[in-house]
Amino acid sequence: MHHEEPVIARVTAANGARITAVFNDSVRDSIQDIQIGILVKMPTRNTVAFGIINSMTLEDHGANSKMTAQIDLLGEMAIPTNGHATSFARGISVYPTLLTPLYMATNSDLAHVFARPDEASLRIGTLHQDATIPAYLLADRLMAMHFAVLGTTGTGKSCALTLLLHSILNSLPQGRIILLDPHNEYAPAFTGKAELFDVNNLPLPYWLFDGEEICGIFIDPKSDTAEREAGLLRDAIVHAKNIYNMDVMDANIITIDTPIPYQLRDVMHYLNERKGDLEKPDGTAPYLRLQTRLNQLKNDPRYKFLFPGLRVEDTLDQILSRIMRLPVNGKPLSIFDLSGVPAEVVSVVVSVIARLLFDFAVWSGGIGNAPVLLVCEEAHRYVPRDEAAGFAQTRRLLSRIAQEGRKYGIGLGLVTQRPSLISQTILSQCNTMMTLRISNDADQDIIRRSVHESAFGLTAALPALRSQEAIITGEAVTLPMRIRFSDLASHKKPRSETVPFSTHWARDDWTLEKVQSTIHNWRHKQHSGKKAEASKAAIQPLFPSVAPVFPTPEEPQNLAQNPPGYYGQ
């Protein structure tokens, strides 16, 4: 520490990892440079301790007033005999004593504290305190220990997620990421890097669903015979599975949840036979309702992804290979466009995807075999705080991934604009929080309860963050920090820009023909402009017979040339 650095305060109280300091009168004129969230330092016997200002108070507003600050100690740098600071380490081994002088952390200090880590890291932006210092995330801790991206609509949340995923894929081109996209935003941002799935080529045939999931689709939970229908459907499916697989598997090990094919016609035949038994005390109503529902769904074009064709084949290996990118073949990202999936079954579809990932990880031998990152946009839709508001199995599966995924190589990323509406049990398992501007008091309270006390000072700035700024706390960062995300090239941005009302209202160029074109798109579930091109590109045969399953990949980036954290922008 250089002697010419001015002393700004002295320690007057200490309580564990939190200290109180009183500012010198000499800093009154420059007090605007000392803000909540900035880094300060203080010498100890053989280290330099660093802390972050959590709160500031002005006492006795008269001539004898004094300014105090609460400071959370975060880490230290040892001072060798030559007087030069060494690398920064979290935690405090030697605490500052009373009357220890306090100094502002210099740009050189910030560069040391937030230096690029030795382990795999991702560069995502720059520090708010000094725009010349890059901000890094620890890649393994970010993904293996789960993360959340939080922020009000319009603050750059989608762009932040896109930047993060690009940074991961640029550094680790053989990674495997599955992105649930409820609004068809992200396909244009990952051209050439993603396999796109929508209702036209969704690889989720009905036989892939387990008992609870298939009941969630084929049975109306409000029906007064729902429980009886569920029992009938389960019996019928087990019967159909035994018929289809009689030469392949022992009937004694086949259950409603065994992931093997079966024919719907065998299900219908079983129901017809049972319906003919006049001794049933509840009559034929459950059978008729179940058969009617099955026929309705088969004839509903919104559910065509459940019924891919007349032939039923065991393509589970191909389905898993394509969804999980095994092998990657130049397209490490699977994007599931859920915008066309009927709203009443979106959660069930998410449940199937999450269950396939988890079961595959468990039965492949556990951690290290095929790590995958599952990213859920609009996560409050799938894991709502209100347990009655969503499909229960989706909540259980994502909760299990949040709690146990680290052991099996499944990372979880949650993205939401309303953290107060999401399951707090699952959100609490996200060990890294990237929070953009949030003004809602309930959402702010949730975030403050989710972060360590040392970040309380930074969270006070949540309502005042500018677009593209975020506060990052947790395991993936050396210290809690306020950053500005890097800019994204226009061709890498998601389709999430706010519609400019004033620009469109400055002209009146709508015609009857454009209205008619919109109605045609609406009725035929098409999209106009670039969105139509993206949708057409995504509509491919699930398992083409001539072309290879995986398209020819682009030339992957060389990890040696672009080390972890590289972001070409």
Side-chain angles (χ1 to χ4, degrees):
M1 197 173 305
H2 301 290
H3 293 294
E4 61 269 19
E5 295 177 26
V7 176
I8 62 170
R10 291 190 179 274
V11 176
T12 58
N15 181 12
R18 175 168 292 183
I19 65 171
T20 302
V22 176
F23 290 104
N24 295 342
D25 292 341
S26 58
V27 302
R28 287 177 180 271
D29 295 335
S30 58
I31 194 66
Q32 66 273 12
D33 297 328
I34 304 172
Q35 304 174 24
I36 291 175
I38 70 166
L39 206 64
V40 294
K41 61 182 179 179
M42 59 220 80
T44 69
R45 185 175 64 252
N46 53 8
T47 67
V48 176
F50 286 85
I52 190 170
I53 295 181
N54 189 308
S55 64
M56 300 171 63
T57 306
L58 177 65
E59 300 176 2
D60 298 330
H61 297 250
N64 297 321
S65 63
K66 63 177 181 178
M67 295 176 292
T68 63
Q70 298 290 321
I71 298 162
D72 290 313
L73 298 176
L74 301 174
E76 62 188 11
M77 290 193 292
I79 302 179
T81 53
N82 60 12
H84 295 290
T86 57
S87 60
F88 176 83
R90 293 177 75 165
I92 298 291
S93 61
V94 183
Y95 287 83
T97 59
L98 296 180
L99 299 181
T100 295
L102 212 70
Y103 301 85
M104 292 274 286
T106 65
N107 289 356
S108 175
D109 294 324
L110 292 174
H112 272 94
V113 171
F114 295 101
R116 182 174 189 152
D118 293 333
E119 53 190 288
S121 57
L122 310 166
R123 178 174 177 176
I124 56 164
T126 56
L127 291 184
H128 171 72
Q129 287 176 262
D130 187 342
T132 65
I133 299 176
Y136 295 99
L137 298 178
L138 300 173
D140 289 329
R141 297 188 189 185
L142 176 77
M143 293 181 281
M145 303 182 74
H146 317 311
F147 66 87
V149 180
L150 314 171
T152 305
T153 298
T155 59
K157 184 171 74 285
S158 298
C159 285
L161 176 63
T162 302
L163 172 73
L164 178 63
L165 297 184
H166 270 300
S167 185
I168 292 172
L169 297 179
N170 286 339
S171 297
L172 305 165
Q174 305 305 317
R176 296 177 179 88
I177 301 174
I178 293 176
L179 173 60
L180 305 180
D181 180 4
H183 302 303
N184 191 19
E185 294 181 62
Y186 291 94
F190 295 96
T191 302
K193 288 187 176 183
E195 183 83 355
L196 307 179
F197 300 102
D198 61 13
V199 289
N200 296 291
N201 68 344
L202 200 61
L204 299 176
Y206 64 86
W207 59 262
L208 203 57
F209 290 52
D210 71 10
E212 190 167 357
E213 291 157 355
I214 203 70
C215 289
I217 288 182
F218 287 165
I219 296 175
D220 181 0
K222 297 179 181 178
S223 168
D224 54 1
T225 60
E227 187 174 345
R228 177 66 178 140
E229 291 174 51
L232 288 171
L233 183 60
R234 289 170 182 270
D235 291 343
I237 290 175
V238 171
H239 173 77
K241 286 184 176 182
N242 280 316
I243 293 177
Y244 189 92
N245 299 275
M246 64 174 58
D247 297 327
V248 181
M249 294 183 67
D250 183 352
N252 294 321
I253 66 173
I254 293 178
T255 71
I256 183 67
D257 297 330
T258 307
I260 53 177
Y262 60 92
Q263 298 271 13
L264 271 183
R265 67 187 180 196
D266 293 328
V267 172
M268 299 293 279
H269 182 70
Y270 177 88
L271 293 175
N272 277 326
E273 286 188 339
R274 295 290 301 273
K275 184 174 61 175
D277 187 347
L278 299 179
E279 296 180 3
K280 296 301 174 191
D282 48 2
T284 60
Y287 301 88
L288 293 173
R289 287 178 179 174
L290 198 51
Q291 289 176 315
T292 300
R293 175 67 172 167
L294 289 174
N295 286 321
Q296 285 176 341
L297 294 185
K298 284 187 66 176
N299 295 322
D300 189 334
R302 299 177 304 155
Y303 290 87
K304 63 182 177 181
F305 66 90
L306 289 173
F307 313 102
L310 295 177
R311 290 184 59 191
V312 174
E313 297 181 275
D314 186 359
T315 53
L316 182 57
D317 55 348
Q318 299 177 62
I319 291 172
L320 288 170
S321 294
R322 194 169 183 189
I323 288 177
M324 296 183 64
R325 315 309 304 146
L326 299 167
V328 171
N329 277 9
K331 290 192 173 182
L333 178 63
S334 291
I335 298 178
F336 283 83
D337 171 16
L338 303 177
S339 60
V341 177
E344 59 268 25
V345 298
V346 166
S347 290
V348 183
V349 169
V350 173
S351 172
V352 176
I353 296 170
R355 180 178 53 80
L356 289 176
L357 297 183
F358 192 84
D359 286 350
F360 185 85
V362 170
W363 293 107
S364 65
I367 191 167
N369 287 329
V372 63
L373 174 63
L374 174 62
V375 181
C376 303
E377 251 283 18
E378 298 283 358
H380 56 271
R381 296 175 57 178
Y382 319 128
V383 282
R385 187 170 189 171
D386 180 2
E387 296 188 13
F391 186 54
Q393 182 159 336
T394 311
R395 183 190 185 94
R396 287 198 303 271
L397 281 165
L398 291 180
S399 178
R400 190 174 182 190
I401 288 175
Q403 294 175 31
E404 304 176 32
R406 178 178 57 85
K407 297 183 290 186
Y408 296 107
I410 305 178
L412 181 64
L414 303 180
V415 185
T416 181
Q417 56 185 298
R418 292 302 312 274
S420 61
L421 299 183
I422 200 169
S423 166
Q424 299 308 294
T425 302
I426 296 178
L427 185 63
S428 66
Q429 298 292 328
C430 294
N431 289 286
T432 299
M433 297 276 191
M434 287 173 268
T435 310
L436 292 91
R437 183 172 68 250
I438 285 183
S439 53
N440 183 277
D441 290 340
D443 293 330
Q444 291 181 41
D445 289 341
I446 292 296
I447 293 168
R448 291 191 183 100
R449 290 203 294 268
S450 302
V451 302
H452 190 270
E453 287 185 1
S454 60
F456 280 3
L458 284 175
T459 58
L462 287 176
L465 292 176
R466 295 173 294 180
S467 293
Q468 216 170 326
E469 284 190 344
I471 291 167
I472 305 182
T473 62
E475 293 294 329
V477 289
T478 306
L479 290 178
M481 58 185 180
R482 178 175 171 178
I483 68 140
R484 182 187 185 277
F485 286 107
S486 298
D487 294 324
L488 273 172
S490 58
H491 67 280
K492 292 183 177 180
K493 289 184 178 180
R495 193 189 293 110
S496 59
E497 293 84 358
T498 301
V499 174
F501 277 56
S502 59
T503 301
H504 289 289
W505 285 356
R507 58 180 185 270
D508 185 14
D509 57 356
W510 271 82
T511 62
L512 180 60
E513 288 75 14
K514 291 182 70 173
V515 174
Q516 292 169 341
S517 175
T518 299
I519 293 172
H520 175 81
N521 294 341
W522 183 0
R523 287 173 173 168
H524 293 80
K525 300 298 181 183
Q526 296 174 352
H527 305 282
S528 60
K530 294 182 179 179
K531 195 169 183 179
E533 296 173 9
S535 296
K536 290 175 183 176
I539 302 173
Q540 313 165 15
L542 179 56
F543 306 116
S545 55
V546 180
V549 173
F550 300 101
T552 303
E554 292 185 336
E555 186 68 23
Q557 298 197 28
N558 189 316
L559 190 57
Q561 294 178 353
N562 299 329
Y566 172 82
Y567 183 69
Q569 180 62 13

